[in-house]
Amino acid sequence: MTLRRTDVAGFASNFREDAECYTIQKALDWRLDPIAADEIETRLASYGFDQHAISLEVYVQAREIFTLFETLMNAAQSRRLCSKEIGSRRRMQELSNFVPGQANIRSRMRYSSLLQNQCGGPPDHEGGHH
């Protein structure tokens, strides 16, 4: 970003895309080529950017990305908890509407499954729960 601000700023709009590609290539060279790194650091220093200023800018950019990730993670967690709460309330509603003496086979199987999920064990062979 610092190289873009210094290197691309003076270009006409029709050359700006080429200048940005060149700047990105130079930034990649900075990491791999010590001669290119020296040249870039000298050029940035002429604009008043030292290693501390560049590191600070990298930190600020990373913080923005981490804030975005944190926001997305919190939203996903909220949706998951809400969905879990809705499912739990539905199961409790089904249990409260159940009348054991009037249930048909399908309802009994469903009730047995709900009990197993709520209580953590399979029903015994006589229809009770152990």
Side-chain angles (χ1 to χ4, degrees):
M1 292 302 293
T2 306
L3 285 174
R4 275 191 186 146
R5 282 201 311 258
T6 59
D7 291 354
V8 180
F11 282 91
S13 60
N14 56 339
F15 294 113
R16 192 171 299 257
E17 187 175 324
D18 291 336
E20 284 188 15
C21 288
Y22 177 77
T23 301
I24 290 168
Q25 184 60 48
K26 282 298 189 185
L28 292 173
D29 289 345
W30 186 6
R31 294 175 36 201
L32 304 173
D33 182 1
I35 296 170
D38 287 340
E39 181 224 271
I40 290 170
E41 288 174 12
T42 301
R43 196 166 71 243
L44 288 173
S46 71
Y47 288 100
F49 294 102
D50 61 357
Q51 192 63 38
H52 179 71
I54 294 168
S55 295
L56 185 59
E57 183 157 341
V58 168
Y59 171 76
V60 169
Q61 289 174 13
R63 193 183 92 208
E64 290 172 3
I65 291 170
F66 286 132
T67 301
L68 172 66
F69 273 132
E70 182 179 19
T71 302
L72 292 172
M73 295 287 288
N74 287 338
Q77 178 73 355
S78 293
R79 283 192 304 273
R80 187 184 73 78
L81 290 174
C82 185
S83 176
K84 188 176 179 180
E85 180 67 23
I86 290 169
S88 178
R89 287 178 185 236
R90 284 182 182 159
R91 284 191 299 278
M92 294 305 292
Q93 181 67 33
E94 288 173 356
L95 284 173
S96 69
N97 290 337
F98 179 74
V99 178
Q102 298 175 357
N104 61 25
I105 296 293
R106 179 178 282 160
S107 294
R108 287 182 189 182
M109 290 175 60
R110 198 163 156 193
Y111 179 70
S112 175
S113 175
L114 287 170
L115 282 176
Q116 185 175 354
N117 288 339
Q118 291 290 322
C119 302
D124 64 23
H125 66 282
E126 295 175 358
H129 201 276
H130 57 129

